[in-house]
Amino acid sequence: EPNNETPKNVRYLSFFRDPAAKYISGKMYVNKATTRKWTIDDWVQYIKKNVISNLDRGGYSGSMFKYLITPFQEEEYNKRGEKLTTAKKADLAMKNLVEYNLVIGIVERMSESMEILQNVIDSSGDATDIFHKYGMKEKRGRSTEKSVVFNNSIISTSRVLNELKKDAEFF
């Protein structure tokens, strides 16, 4: 049964993908069969067109909110017949980050995320080898483990993202 008290010493861990990289990756994955011969410029234009079209229609992707708002909070709003607006979801998510003592990692920044996690659960450094195994770089800047690549497409998400970042007005 939920209560209105702030949780004490609750700690959650969650990993997220960079939202821009996740969006691009999703578009590339869904369209891979029809876009095999596309160039980097084709992808950049396609992503720009989609983002601009969504924004023109008032579309906003807030799918991360489902991981940062509790079922009890959603239920409370539903009982009152209130719609959770994007702004309200953002407020609740930020509140929950603090109140639930959430530790967040970013997949595209795994080494730094592992450092944060190690600081939280292994501040003595006794389990450093485990953190290296899962992507934390050694002090000299290299991970001791071979990285795993799941996207073996000719054009990577990061290449498209880097090209999009060059357009300051768009990005």
Side-chain angles (χ1 to χ4, degrees), residues 93-121:
M94 288 187 284
K95 178 181 166 202
N96 289 346
L97 289 173
V98 174
E99 289 187 6
Y100 287 94
N101 204 8
L102 188 68
V103 176
I104 294 178
I106 303 296
V107 172
E108 289 83 1
R109 299 191 63 179
M110 188 57 75
S111 182
E112 295 96 330
S113 298
M114 287 290 105
E115 287 180 42
I116 292 168
L117 185 57
Q118 183 181 25
N119 187 52
V120 170
I121 64 176

